[in-house]
């Protein structure tokens, strides 16, 4: 064998030996890490057994406060994950939140092994003391248990405890619907202690971000405008209890109601005015149009009321639908008045024709009698011509006297009368007046309605 061949063989052997050495080191390190990890987890179990053991810890006793005399302080914050429904009929809303509580329990302090243990995690709430918090305005609620219960408890080396859980709640929300659908609703979330008084337990909002809202929160007919955190301690005959409050201000989306309610009602009112332009003798067409729009308007109003709870006060939508229904009903009554005036005009024309015939007959008889008398007087020779005292031109026996002429500018009332005189019948005049009066009154109502409700403040003093 040559020296080169021997050198290559030696290098290959050295490479294989080095590779084996690296594998051995890796195996030793892995084994050491596993042993360390096993020892570390065993140490965590030992710590949990030590601090929560029955000999050292009693979950029935609340943590001591400041200087071992004051009440236990529990800081609370929550995250609004979703607002599912807001029901006007039931006056409630459904919300999903992540609820968190933090407090200090000196009995749970432990050695963090040089910072290697940041916190201990538990998934059972019956191992440590828990605040007796409940939701005062809750109607229904449930925890989430898929795939596992969505909760945890973290115990920190200094005795700090963090409790986090995901909850879905249905809460009552008394609503004031006077400005519906131009309203804002304030729905509250009330959290209070059930058994511990303020001498033993006090709830406080977390200093930074007490309430968080998930991004892209979508509501079907509302917008979460803002939220307000406050305190609502209550006093009873058994003591004073700590309470926290978060008020969610929801602004109703008006575009939906504009398309579904306001525009259709306005269109029905305008359609009812078409009867003013139809022939007054087209009774079937005008009656059918008036009755159809009236029934449609009534159905629209009923459907609106079915989506709202029965309340003792008048809502903004009630004013709108009530006035629109009045205009439609007024258009139907207008045709009844036109029909009556038309029959009255026909009766007057008949009476006038009958009177004209009688007048002509009387004038003919009178002229014949006068002619007969004049002929009789002419035969007797006693007739003479008499000059009238008043001339046909209006003068007193003189043709040179000019009548007094007075030129006055016609008043607005006389102009209206002159314009109405173009329409010979009263029924036609009623139609013409209605064509102008109904739109003007409806436009004035719209100005008054929107200026009133758009700038009216709600119960909390928030401008619209």
């Amino acid at each position: 064998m040559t020296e080169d061949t021997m050198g290559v063989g030696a290098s290959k052997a050295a490479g294989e030996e080095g590779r084996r050495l690296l594998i051995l080191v890796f195996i030793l390190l892995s084994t050491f890490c596993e042993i360390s990890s096993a020892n570390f987890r065993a140490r965590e179990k030992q710590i949990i057994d030590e601090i929560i053991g029955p000999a050292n810890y009693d979950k029935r006793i609340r943590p001591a406060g400041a200087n071992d005399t004051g009440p236990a302080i529990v800081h609370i914050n929550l995250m609004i994950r979703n607002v599912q429904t807001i029901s006007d009929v039931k006056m409630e809303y459904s919300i999903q939140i992540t609820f968190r509580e933090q407090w200090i329990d000196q009995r749970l302090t432990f050695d963090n092994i040089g910072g290697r243990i940041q916190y201990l995690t538990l998934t059972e709430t019956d191992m440590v003391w828990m605040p007796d918090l409940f939701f005062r305005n809750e109607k229904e609620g449930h925890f989430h248990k898929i795939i596992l219960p969505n909760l945890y408890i973290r115990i920190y080396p200094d005795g700090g405890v963090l409790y986090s859980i995901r909850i879905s709640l249905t809460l009552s929300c008394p609503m004031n619907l006077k400005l519906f659908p131009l309203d804002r609703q304030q729905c509250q979330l009330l959290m209070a202690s059930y058994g511990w008084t303020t001498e033993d337990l006090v709830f406080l909002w977390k200093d930074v971000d007490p309430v968080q809202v998930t991004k892209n929160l979508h509501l079907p007919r509302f917008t979460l405008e803002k939220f307000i955190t406050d305190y609502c301690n209550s006093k009873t005959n058994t003591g004073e209890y700590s309470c926290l409050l978060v008020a969610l201000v929801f602004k109703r989306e008006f575009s939906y109601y504009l398309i579904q309610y306001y525009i259709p009602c306005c269109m029905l009112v305008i359609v009812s005015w078409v009867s003013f332009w139809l022939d007054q003798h087209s009774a079937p067409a005008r009656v059918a149009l008036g009755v159809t729009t009236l029934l449609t308007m009534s159905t629209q109003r009923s459907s609106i009321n079915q989506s709202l709870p029965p309340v003792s006060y008048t809502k903004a939508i009630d004013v709108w639908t009530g006035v629109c229904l009045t205009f439609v009903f007024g258009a139907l009554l207008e045709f009844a008045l036109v029909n009556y005036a038309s029959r009255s005009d026909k009766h007057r024309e008949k009476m006038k024709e009958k009177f004209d015939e009688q007048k002509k007959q009387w004038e003919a008889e009178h002229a014949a009698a006068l002619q007969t008398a004049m002929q009789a007087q002419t035969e007797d020779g006693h007739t003479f011509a008499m000059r009238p005292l008043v001339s046909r031109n209006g003068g007193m026996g003189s043709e040179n006297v000019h009548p007094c002429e007075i030129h006055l500018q016609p008043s607005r009332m006389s102009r209206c009368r002159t314009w109405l005189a173009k329409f010979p019948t009263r029924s036609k005049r009623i139609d013409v007046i209605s064509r102008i009066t109904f739109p003007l009154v409806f436009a004035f109502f719209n100005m008054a309605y929107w200026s009133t409700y758009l700038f009216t403040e709600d119960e909390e003093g928030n401008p619209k």
Side-chain angles (χ1 to χ4, degrees):
M1 296 176 61
T2 62
E3 293 182 358
D4 294 338
T5 305
M6 294 176 62
V8 172
S11 62
K12 288 183 178 179
E16 292 179 358
E17 187 68 24
R19 193 178 300 109
R20 291 174 184 174
L21 182 61
L22 288 175
I23 294 173
L24 180 61
V25 172
F26 179 76
I27 293 173
L28 291 176
L29 289 175
S30 300
T31 305
F32 177 77
C33 291
E34 289 177 0
I35 296 173
S36 300
S37 178
N39 294 334
F40 182 71
R41 297 306 175 192
R43 180 56 181 161
E44 285 186 350
K45 179 181 181 301
Q46 183 181 0
I47 292 174
I48 292 175
D49 293 336
E50 289 177 358
I51 63 177
I52 310 181
N56 301 324
Y57 187 84
D58 190 349
K59 67 178 181 180
R60 297 174 298 177
I61 301 175
R62 70 171 179 85
N67 299 325
D68 295 334
T69 58
I73 305 299
V74 178
H75 292 86
I76 292 177
N77 74 309
L78 56 90
M79 178 179 182
I80 300 175
R81 306 180 66 92
N82 187 18
V83 179
Q84 298 169 351
T85 58
I86 301 176
S87 175
D88 297 318
V89 178
K90 297 181 180 180
M91 290 196 177
E92 65 184 21
Y93 72 104
S94 299
I95 188 172
Q96 184 183 123
I97 62 173
T98 298
F99 177 74
R100 305 183 186 96
E101 295 177 311
Q102 289 179 286
W103 66 94
I104 299 294
D105 192 342
Q106 296 296 337
R107 298 171 296 174
L108 300 177
T109 58
F110 63 91
D111 183 13
N112 61 359
I113 313 178
R116 296 183 62 186
I117 301 178
Q118 296 182 358
Y119 53 81
L120 302 175
T121 301
L122 305 177
T123 58
E124 298 179 3
T125 59
D126 58 351
M127 298 179 67
V128 297
W129 176 88
M130 294 291 298
D132 61 341
L133 181 140
F134 77 105
F135 297 95
R136 284 171 49 178
N137 58 335
E138 174 199 356
K139 299 176 71 174
E140 293 180 359
H142 67 273
F143 302 124
H144 294 267
K145 298 182 179 180
I146 300 177
I147 300 176
L148 294 174
N150 297 169
L151 64 90
Y152 64 82
I153 297 175
R154 290 178 181 175
I155 302 176
Y156 293 88
D158 60 350
V161 181
L162 170 62
Y163 172 66
S164 177
I165 188 171
R166 188 162 70 101
I167 314 173
S168 289
L169 299 168
T170 300
L171 306 166
S172 64
C173 178
M175 298 182 182
N176 187 345
L177 300 174
K178 289 183 178 180
L179 301 179
F180 177 88
L182 301 166
D183 57 335
R184 286 179 174 86
Q185 299 300 333
Q186 187 179 100
C187 296
Q188 297 180 348
L189 177 61
L190 304 174
M191 298 163 286
S193 173
Y194 189 82
W196 298 100
T197 63
T198 53
E199 296 178 356
D200 299 319
L201 178 63
V202 174
F203 291 124
L204 296 177
W205 284 112
K206 189 177 179 181
D207 296 333
V208 180
D209 293 333
V211 177
Q212 303 170 355
V213 181
T214 185
K215 295 182 179 180
N216 301 323
L217 180 64
H218 177 72
L219 302 176
R221 297 182 185 179
F222 290 87
T223 299
L224 180 58
E225 195 172 47
K226 61 180 179 179
F227 56 85
I228 304 169
T229 56
D230 201 354
Y231 296 89
C232 54
N233 292 2
S234 60
K235 291 184 179 180
T236 65
N237 55 3
T238 58
E240 182 180 0
Y241 298 90
S242 181
C243 176
L244 299 181
L245 176 150
V246 54
L248 306 175
V249 180
F250 296 104
K251 180 181 178 182
R252 198 182 299 272
E253 289 290 344
F254 179 68
S255 58
Y256 169 81
Y257 300 94
L258 178 65
I259 297 173
Q260 294 294 325
Y261 296 160
Y262 284 89
I263 293 179
C265 291
C266 186
M267 293 174 63
L268 287 174
V269 173
I270 296 175
V271 168
S272 67
W273 299 342
V274 175
S275 62
F276 303 154
W277 300 87
L278 297 179
D279 186 16
Q280 58 187 358
H281 301 294
S282 302
R286 298 188 66 164
V287 170
L289 182 61
V291 172
T292 302
T293 52
L294 182 63
L295 293 178
T296 306
M297 190 66 217
S298 301
T299 305
Q300 180 77 359
R301 188 178 185 186
S302 299
S303 65
I304 294 173
N305 291 330
Q306 287 179 357
S307 62
L308 296 173
V311 292
S312 59
Y313 48 82
T314 303
K315 304 180 288 294
I317 193 66
D318 294 335
V319 176
W320 175 264
T321 56
V323 173
C324 290
L325 186 63
T326 303
F327 271 92
V328 174
F329 183 69
L332 186 61
L333 290 183
E334 188 271 347
F335 170 67
L337 182 61
V338 167
N339 188 274
Y340 173 78
S342 178
R343 289 185 284 109
S344 178
D345 290 338
K346 291 181 179 179
H347 180 70
R348 291 178 61 184
E349 290 179 0
K350 290 181 180 180
M351 294 298 295
K352 184 178 180 181
E353 292 176 358
K354 184 177 180 180
F355 177 77
D356 291 341
E357 292 179 357
Q358 292 178 354
K359 183 178 179 181
K360 290 180 181 180
Q361 184 178 1
W362 179 81
E363 288 178 352
E365 293 177 355
H366 181 70
L370 182 62
Q371 184 68 23
T372 303
M374 292 179 62
Q375 290 179 359
Q377 291 178 2
T378 303
E379 292 176 355
D380 294 341
H382 299 289
T383 61
F384 58 92
M386 296 181 65
R387 185 176 181 179
L389 295 176
V390 181
S391 64
R392 294 181 179 178
N393 295 328
M396 297 294 294
S398 176
E399 297 180 357
N400 297 326
V401 179
H402 297 281
C404 181
E405 296 181 358
I406 301 177
H407 299 278
L408 296 177
Q409 186 175 3
S411 62
R412 184 174 299 177
M413 186 62 69
S414 63
R415 291 179 181 177
C416 293
R417 291 176 179 176
T418 303
W419 178 71
L420 289 176
K422 298 179 180 179
F423 309 100
T425 61
R426 289 188 301 172
S427 58
K428 189 64 176 178
R429 294 175 186 174
I430 294 174
D431 272 343
V432 172
I433 294 174
S434 299
R435 295 172 188 173
I436 301 174
T437 305
F438 274 72
L440 287 179
V441 175
F442 190 69
F444 177 77
F445 161 72
N446 272 270
M447 293 175 58
Y449 180 87
W450 296 113
S451 60
T452 299
Y453 286 103
L454 286 178
F455 298 101
T456 300
E457 294 185 353
D458 55 17
E459 296 295 330
E460 288 75 24
N462 299 320
K464 298 302 295 176

